[in-house]
């Protein structure tokens, strides 16, 4: 029995959880209720959950094409990725650069870094932290651009993908270790500039943050090319969910001091493995995550990409306007208003930007004669609106 179904409610639940974690964690950077600090210090892992989801969905789509046709429809793949991601992203970039009121911080990195998706390299989050959350999109775009070609090179070899997977994981750990020894270990955590360097050399670079994407790709490979492993996942979804808890619990304890050696080297991997177990559970028919969809999580999942892109600017504008009305920006009411506004902006993006662009994409694919472009890849793209929505 295949792990994947035409409709994966579980992935919607996880994507909704991911955007909720990210939103609440970033809300700490604004005026907020006291309870936010007590319950959201692990919210940074929402981005890692998005990474695992992206690796699983995008690699699964490509593996599905390789299995059915022996090749990849690269033109289709890149056209779909472009129209799903680039238009809303460019709209948000334009808002940041053309309307200073939208900026949640004092300064932006150069425009070319956003346009080339290299913003995550050398990111000065302390002095140029406006729209800093674009770093994760940069990593995913770099991933989208390279993964199809890597899979084509490895397609005819059965052992190479598994060997490469473990080698890349080891390389990521090694590069984090080298980065730690080179730039972080010589500093005291109380020194000026410590956090700037930690974020710049440990947290943001692509080569130190591939754990989640690699775990997602590895899981997709098991689903498509390891029948025994896929059957085990399919029949034991709830056990895989439970198996993720020890990894996430260990990560939570280790990462209480997020910039410690143990957290910097092992924390991201533990989080990725834990969420990998949850993604496996969400795709397994035997799991409680799989069985029932919820309207709220389905809608949050569909809006997660544009909410992720715009939420800091929307929160900033909301609180600025609330200050003029006398409503305390540290209140729960202000939080609810910010949530409402972020969802409203996400809906605006859906109907004014995303839907028209997806319609244009479909017309272009039809005109170019890419017949398979409008057909969902079995077992993957029907899990949600489009795999590119992961963030």
């Amino acid at each position: 029995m295949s792990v994947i179904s035409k409709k994966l409610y579980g992935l919607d639940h996880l994507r909704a959880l991911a955007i909720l974690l990210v939103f609440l964690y970033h809300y700490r950077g604004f005026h907020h209720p006291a309870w936010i600090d007590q319950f959201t210090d692990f919210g940074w892992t929402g981005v890692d959950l998005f990474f695992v989801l992206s690796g699983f969905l995008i690699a699964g789509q490509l593996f599905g094409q390789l299995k059915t046709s022996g090749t990849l429809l690269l033109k289709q793949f890149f056209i779909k990725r472009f129209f799903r991601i680039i238009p809303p992203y460019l709209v948000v970039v334009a808002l940041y650069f053309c309307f200073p009121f939208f900026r949640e911080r004092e300064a932006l990195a150069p425009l070319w870094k956003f346009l080339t998706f290299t913003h995550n390299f050398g990111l000065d989050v302390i002095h140029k932290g406006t729209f800093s959350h674009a770093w994760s999109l940069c990593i995913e775009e770099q991933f989208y651009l390279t993964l199809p070609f890597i899979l084509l090179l490895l397609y005819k070899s059965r052992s190479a993908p598994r060997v490469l997977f473990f080698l890349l994981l080891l390389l990521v750990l090694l590069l984090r270790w080298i980065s730690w020894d080179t730039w972080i270990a010589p500093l005291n955590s109380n020194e000026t500039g410590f956090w700037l360097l930690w974020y710049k050399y440990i947290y943001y670079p692509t080569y130190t943050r591939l754990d989640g994407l690699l775990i997602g790709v590895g899981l997709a490979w098991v689903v498509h090319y390891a029948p025994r492993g896929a059957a085990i996942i399919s029949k034991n979804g709830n056990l895989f969910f439970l198996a993720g808890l020890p990894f996430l619990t260990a990560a939570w304890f280790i990462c209480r001091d997020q910039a410690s050696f143990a957290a910097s080297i092992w924390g991201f991997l533990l989080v990725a493995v834990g969420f990998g177990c949850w993604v496996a559970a969400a795709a397994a028919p035997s799991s409680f995550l799989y069985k029932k969809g919820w309207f709220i999580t389905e809608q949050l999942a569909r809006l997660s990409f544009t909410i992720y892109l715009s939420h800091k600017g929307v929160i900033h504008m909301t609180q600025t306007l609330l200050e003029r009305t006398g409503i305390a920006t540290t209140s729960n009411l202000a939080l609810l208003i910010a949530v409402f506004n972020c969802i409203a902006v996400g809906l605006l993006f859906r109907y004014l930007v995303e839907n028209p662009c997806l319609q244009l994409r479909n017309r272009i694919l039809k005109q170019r004669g890419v017949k398979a472009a409008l057909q969902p890849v079995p077992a993957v793209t029907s899990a949600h609106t489009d795999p590119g929505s992961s963030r």
Side-chain angles (χ1 to χ4, degrees):
M1 184 176 183
S2 174
V3 172
I4 307 292
S5 164
K6 290 184 178 180
K7 180 64 177 178
L8 292 182
Y9 297 119
L11 297 187
D12 284 344
H13 301 330
L14 292 183
R15 188 172 294 105
L17 172 63
I19 192 59
L20 180 63
L21 287 172
V22 168
F23 177 89
L24 291 175
Y25 185 74
H26 286 165
Y27 200 79
R28 296 165 20 134
F30 303 86
H31 297 147
H32 56 271
W35 64 266
I36 290 285
D37 290 323
Q38 301 173 10
F39 295 101
T40 62
D41 59 341
F42 206 47
W44 60 270
T45 60
V47 171
D48 295 79
L49 179 52
F50 276 132
F51 283 159
V52 178
L53 286 164
S54 286
F56 176 65
L57 291 164
I58 296 299
Q61 182 185 41
L62 295 173
F63 285 141
Q65 288 185 4
L66 286 172
K67 285 182 66 176
T68 56
S69 63
T71 188
L72 295 178
L73 303 175
L74 293 177
K75 181 190 298 183
Q76 167 190 330
F77 177 79
F78 287 116
I79 288 175
K80 291 177 73 174
R81 297 282 65 71
F82 177 89
F83 281 98
R84 179 63 184 86
I85 292 174
I86 301 303
Y89 173 70
L90 290 181
V91 170
V92 174
V93 170
L95 288 173
Y96 271 109
F97 277 87
C98 297
F99 299 95
F101 183 50
F102 192 73
R103 301 175 190 174
E104 73 277 4
R105 294 282 297 277
E106 65 286 346
L108 279 160
L111 177 61
W112 67 266
K113 282 202 164 189
F114 292 101
L115 297 182
T116 58
F117 293 100
T118 56
H119 179 53
N120 64 310
F121 292 112
L123 175 56
D124 183 349
V125 72
I126 305 298
H127 303 102
K128 295 187 178 181
T130 300
F131 199 21
S132 60
H133 54 290
W135 71 273
S136 64
L137 181 61
C138 293
I139 291 178
E140 289 201 19
E141 282 301 294
Q142 295 159 22
F143 167 73
Y144 296 153
L145 287 173
T146 56
L147 181 65
F149 300 103
I150 293 174
L151 294 185
L152 282 175
L153 288 174
L154 300 176
Y155 172 62
K156 293 184 179 181
S157 172
R158 292 189 176 183
S159 60
R162 285 176 290 181
V163 173
L164 181 63
F165 171 79
F166 288 108
L167 285 178
L168 286 175
L169 271 181
L170 288 174
L171 179 61
V172 170
L173 290 171
L174 178 61
L175 289 174
R176 278 207 296 268
W177 201 316
I178 293 173
S179 296
W180 171 273
D181 280 343
T182 304
W183 288 289
I184 310 303
L187 299 176
N188 186 289
S189 61
N190 295 321
E191 287 186 39
T192 302
F194 175 86
W195 283 102
L196 172 62
L197 293 177
W198 187 84
Y199 276 109
K200 181 182 291 187
Y201 294 113
I202 300 293
Y203 193 80
Y204 291 134
T206 304
Y207 52 83
T208 60
R209 295 294 267 116
L210 288 173
D211 308 66
L213 289 166
L214 288 174
I215 293 296
V217 172
L219 179 59
W221 184 88
V222 170
V223 167
H224 285 276
Y225 291 102
R228 291 183 180 178
I232 291 173
I233 294 174
S234 179
K235 296 176 182 178
N236 299 279
N238 290 328
L239 288 180
F240 271 87
F241 181 85
L242 293 175
L245 293 176
F247 291 100
L248 294 173
T249 301
W252 184 79
F253 279 106
I254 290 175
C255 294
R256 295 298 295 271
D257 181 3
Q258 193 176 4
S260 67
F261 172 80
S264 298
I265 306 303
W266 302 106
F268 301 122
L269 180 59
L270 289 171
V271 169
V273 173
F275 282 143
C277 291
W278 282 14
V279 170
S286 57
S287 168
F288 73 96
L289 289 171
Y290 178 98
K291 297 182 183 299
K292 186 176 181 180
W294 298 339
F295 176 80
I296 293 177
T297 56
E298 181 181 0
Q299 294 306 310
L300 282 178
R302 292 186 63 189
L303 296 174
S304 61
F305 178 43
T306 50
I307 289 178
Y308 184 86
L309 285 174
S310 61
H311 71 283
K312 283 188 178 179
V314 174
I315 294 170
H316 165 69
M317 292 192 301
T318 298
Q319 293 203 351
T320 301
L321 295 174
L322 286 178
E323 288 175 350
R324 301 175 184 177
T325 66
I327 296 177
T329 53
T330 57
S331 65
N332 289 318
L333 176 60
L335 170 61
L336 291 175
I337 294 173
V339 170
F340 175 84
N341 287 344
C342 286
I343 292 174
V345 169
L347 289 170
L348 285 175
F349 267 89
R350 177 194 293 180
Y351 293 109
L352 298 181
V353 180
E354 291 185 301
N355 287 353
C357 288
L358 293 180
Q359 293 170 6
L360 176 60
R361 177 198 70 179
N362 293 345
R363 289 199 296 269
I364 291 174
L365 290 173
K366 283 183 177 180
Q367 291 172 1
R368 290 177 175 267
V370 186
K371 295 181 180 180
L374 305 182
Q375 301 173 358
V377 177
V380 177
T381 58
S382 54
H384 53 68
T385 310
D386 193 289
S389 64
S390 290
R391 198 66 281 102

